[in-house]
Amino acid sequence: MPASRPQPRPGVLDIEAYVPGKSKAPGVAKIYKLSSNETPLGPSPKAIAAYRQVAEHLEDYPDGAASDLREAIGRAFGLDPDRIVCGAGSDDLLNLLARAYLADGDEAIYTTHGFLVYPIATLGAGAKPVVAPEKNFTADVDAILAALTPKTKLVFLANPNNPTGTYLPFDEVQRLRRALPENVLLVLDAAYAEYVRRNDYESGLELVATSDNTVMCRTFSKIYGLAALRLGWLYGPAHVVDALNRIRGPFNINQPAIAAGVAAIEDTAHVQASAAHNARWLPWLTEEIRKLGLEVTPSAANFVLIHFPKDKGRTAKEADVFLTARGLILRRLEPYRLPGALRLTVGSEEANRLVVDALAQFMGAAA
Ligand SMILES: Cc1ncc(COP(=O)(O)O)c(C=O)c1O
């Protein structure tokens, strides 16, 4: 590359750009997009109405402090709104954290099959992503601790994790926090927290409230069904909130998103209906797919990780081609170091039944 032209900072060209889930199947009339962990129930009708109302006033800047939204989140979760930062999706917040807390040469730890935005945000900040091995597709606290060096500044932990669906019980998260040095910021990414039905799980609100070095990110993209609007929030210690507010875009979230977010979080019946739908279909999909002889990693979220055999005719890649031809779009996972698996989002009843039927045909046809 000629030195005479502008050069991105070191690390930027090492980034493998994020590839979102496919949404097209050429030549197929009806598509079931099960590749991005979106909710099959869509957003609350009240959120759609609130969004439409703002369409009458697109000439006005949004409220840069997102006060109404932070207050609505505060009411819903019993939190101080001053300790909340909103972002254009939790992606925005993860990138802000990396920019605020990582300098050139610093290190950020994430786990083998952790969410891909973590290494992207780390490299983009000029720092080094360090991979901590997982056990049974699950984050391993001891491995994270073994990866620490004096240069570690951040630890990213998705709980539950995408794309594996596995989670760490809260006592393990607490053990991790206790063992991390005080200057290391622990980022708990609880994008799927609303789906989890496990007695030993907590998203980390209490831990954030009582420590000076832990933050939690949440999103409106999953159970609230507002992925298109790009909306997420973070709860953190006051000094972290202060740092992020200094570097975030002054209008980083837009007014239609603020209005829809407030209505979405207040429509608790809709959130409960989405959680109940998931609680019914997640175990059903897990069991039905296992009955076909495929291994499914136990998931606490709104998707399952399906492992395919290596035999010709039965691989994940061939299953993806087979399903896509039938309009069923799942997520390929090569970038997540899982080339032998596909990730399936819990869909509508119709989509779930179609996937199981198609997988039965695929496994039968290959026999
Ligand atoms: C673990 C995890 N964190 C964060 C996100 C990003 O969500 P958002 O749409 O809020 O940027 C996702 C989305 O797939 C995710 O799986």
Side-chain angles (χ1 to χ4, degrees), residues 34-40 113 115 137 158-167 190-193 195-196 198 222 278-279 281-283 285-286 289 296-306 330-331 333 336 338 342-347 352:
L34 303 165
S35 56
S36 298
N37 299 342
E38 295 144 340
T39 170
H113 308 297
F115 185 45
F137 304 103
N159 202 26
N161 184 49
N162 168 26
T164 53
T166 55
Y167 75 104
Y192 301 94
Y195 291 109
V196 184
R198 299 285 198 283
K222 307 299 173 186
N278 198 65
W281 290 102
L282 179 72
L285 281 168
T286 307
I289 296 169
V296 180
T297 299
S299 170
N302 69 335
F303 53 85
V304 285
L305 184 67
I306 311 169
L330 278 63
R331 180 62 157 256
L333 296 170
Y336 283 97
L338 291 165
L342 295 178
R343 190 191 68 198
L344 165 68
T345 304
V346 174
N352 298 337

Side-chain angles (χ1 to χ4, degrees), residues 62-366:
D63 167 20
S67 302
D68 289 351
L69 181 57
R70 288 186 299 106
E71 279 164 21
I73 295 167
R75 280 193 300 277
F77 291 91
L79 306 177
D80 177 358
D82 287 343
R83 290 184 51 181
I84 294 171
V85 185
C86 295
S90 37
D91 287 350
D92 185 24
L93 297 162
L94 296 167
N95 277 287
L96 287 174
L97 286 164
R99 262 177 61 208
Y101 288 96
L102 296 173
D104 291 350
D106 283 344
E107 296 176 358
I109 298 175
Y110 73 111
T111 65
T112 313
H113 308 297
F115 185 45
L116 276 180
V117 168
Y118 310 148
I120 293 175
T122 302
L123 285 165
K128 185 175 155 202
V130 174
V131 180
E134 297 184 3
K135 254 192 203 147
N136 291 328
F137 304 103
T138 309
D140 175 359
V141 168
D142 295 309
I144 294 172
L145 295 174
L148 280 170
T149 77
K151 291 181 179 164
T152 310
K153 296 287 157 50
L154 282 182
V155 172
F156 290 108
L157 180 72
N159 202 26
N161 184 49
N162 168 26
T164 53
T166 55
Y167 75 104
L168 277 190
F170 192 55
D171 56 0
E172 278 295 277
V173 176
Q174 285 175 304
R175 181 165 79 86
L176 174 63
R177 179 62 273 175
R178 276 197 300 272
L180 286 173
E182 284 181 3
N183 70 326
V184 172
L185 185 62
L186 173 61
V187 180
L188 299 174
D189 180 350
Y192 301 94
E194 296 85 357
Y195 291 109
V196 184
R197 297 203 169 185
R198 299 285 198 283
N199 292 336
D200 56 357
Y201 175 81
E202 278 182 44
S203 67
L205 289 170
E206 185 66 30
L207 184 58
V208 175
T210 55
S211 78
D212 225 12
N213 41 22
T214 307
V215 297
M216 187 203 56
C217 295
R218 303 283 277 255
T219 182
F220 281 87
S221 301
K222 307 299 173 186
I223 207 159
Y224 297 101
L226 296 177
L229 291 182
R230 313 305 304 124
L231 197 55
W233 58 278
L234 169 148
Y235 176 54
H239 67 96
V240 176
V241 167
D242 174 51
L244 299 181
N245 276 330
R246 287 169 194 260
I247 59 164
R248 73 175 171 83
F251 303 105
N252 62 332
I253 63 173
N254 62 73
Q255 200 64 33
I258 293 172
V262 171
I265 210 155
E266 288 177 349
D267 192 349
T268 48
H270 187 77
V271 176
Q272 276 164 17
S274 302
H277 176 89
N278 198 65
R280 171 165 182 221
W281 290 102
L282 179 72
W284 185 85
L285 281 168
T286 307
E287 280 159 35
E288 294 300 315
I289 296 169
R290 279 184 183 153
K291 280 186 208 159
L292 304 175
L294 292 165
E295 208 180 302
V296 180
T297 299
S299 170
N302 69 335
F303 53 85
V304 285
L305 184 67
I306 311 169
H307 303 269
F308 289 82
K310 290 204 173 74
D311 328 339
K312 194 163 163 25
R314 285 193 164 176
T315 62
K317 200 171 162 186
E318 286 158 305
D320 182 50
V321 172
F322 186 91
L323 295 167
T324 303
R326 287 153 183 80
L328 299 162
I329 303 182
L330 278 63
R331 180 62 157 256
R332 290 274 295 274
L333 296 170
E334 281 81 357
Y336 283 97
R337 305 181 175 96
L338 291 165
L342 295 178
R343 190 191 68 198
L344 165 68
T345 304
V346 174
S348 63
E349 172 168 357
E350 183 193 10
N352 298 337
R353 292 190 187 280
L354 285 171
V355 170
V356 169
D357 289 350
L359 281 174
Q361 275 179 44
F362 173 74
M363 293 302 283

